[in-house]
Amino acid sequence: MNTKGKIVVALAVMMVAAAMVVPAVMGDDVEYSATVLAVQDTVICTNPALNGTFGDVLVGQSRSINPSFALKNTGGWDAIIEAAFNTNGTGAAIDIYGLVGTDATNVIPGTAVALKAVGLIGAKTYLTTDGSDTVIPPNLPDDGVCYNYDAHLDVPGSAVADTYTGNVVLSFSNA
């Protein structure tokens, strides 16, 4: 009797059975890709000229500047546009950012001033009274086109007759 052959066959059958119970380990490649873009490069266009003068406005009335400024992005990335007043009043108005009167205690708050992108689908967006940035939608595309932005002023009914001025800082970042 050939027991050695039977043992070898039995071992072979057990190995095949064990291999069938354990799943086979298979490999596959994972392909990664990335498109590297340059940063946004946003500047104020010189045409049209900057215009920040609302002119004479009655208490409780509104006035718009169409356009007030224009922006162009020639980078390789859309830009987020943010705006904030960096001028604030004194005395009781020290924490109120916006247009400040010659008597610095008189302030037309930032929430009375709005910016709107023209030629892009975006809404009129009011600024803040605390000096924090407000995003002006939509993002500025990286197409090298000058897009106009309108400015809008709603003079509050409580405003005091005065001459008001203020600075808005525009900030640009990658979208």
Side-chain angles (χ1 to χ4, degrees), residues 87-97 99-107:
T87 48
N88 62 309
T90 61
I94 192 143
D95 292 327
I96 302 173
Y97 286 76
L99 297 171
V100 179
T102 53
D103 173 357
T105 60
N106 296 327
V107 178

Side-chain angles (χ1 to χ4, degrees), residues 52 54-55 57 59 98-109 153 155-156 158-166:
F54 288 104
V57 187
V59 170
L99 297 171
V100 179
T102 53
D103 173 357
T105 60
N106 296 327
V107 178
I108 295 176
L153 171 65
V155 178
S158 61
V160 176
D162 200 347
T163 300
Y164 293 84
T165 60

Side-chain angles (χ1 to χ4, degrees), residues 24-144:
V25 177
M26 298 178 62
D28 201 355
D29 294 338
V30 176
E31 181 177 321
Y32 294 99
S33 66
T35 302
V36 177
L37 301 174
V39 297
Q40 56 78 31
D41 184 16
T42 303
V43 296
I44 293 178
C45 301
T46 57
N47 189 13
L50 296 175
N51 181 4
T53 303
F54 288 104
D56 296 334
V57 187
L58 293 172
V59 170
Q61 298 294 307
S62 298
R63 177 80 42 99
S64 294
I65 303 171
N66 304 318
S68 177
F69 61 91
L71 298 176
K72 173 174 63 173
N73 180 4
T74 58
W77 200 287
D78 288 357
I80 296 171
I81 308 303
E82 294 176 300
F85 274 101
N86 72 352
T87 48
N88 62 309
T90 61
I94 192 143
D95 292 327
I96 302 173
Y97 286 76
L99 297 171
V100 179
T102 53
D103 173 357
T105 60
N106 296 327
V107 178
I108 295 176
T111 52
V113 178
L115 298 176
K116 181 184 184 310
V118 180
L120 299 169
I121 298 173
K124 181 169 49 173
T125 305
Y126 287 88
L127 304 184
T128 65
T129 59
D130 64 3
S132 62
D133 285 334
T134 300
V135 174
I136 309 301
N139 294 339
L140 184 65
D142 64 335
D143 59 6

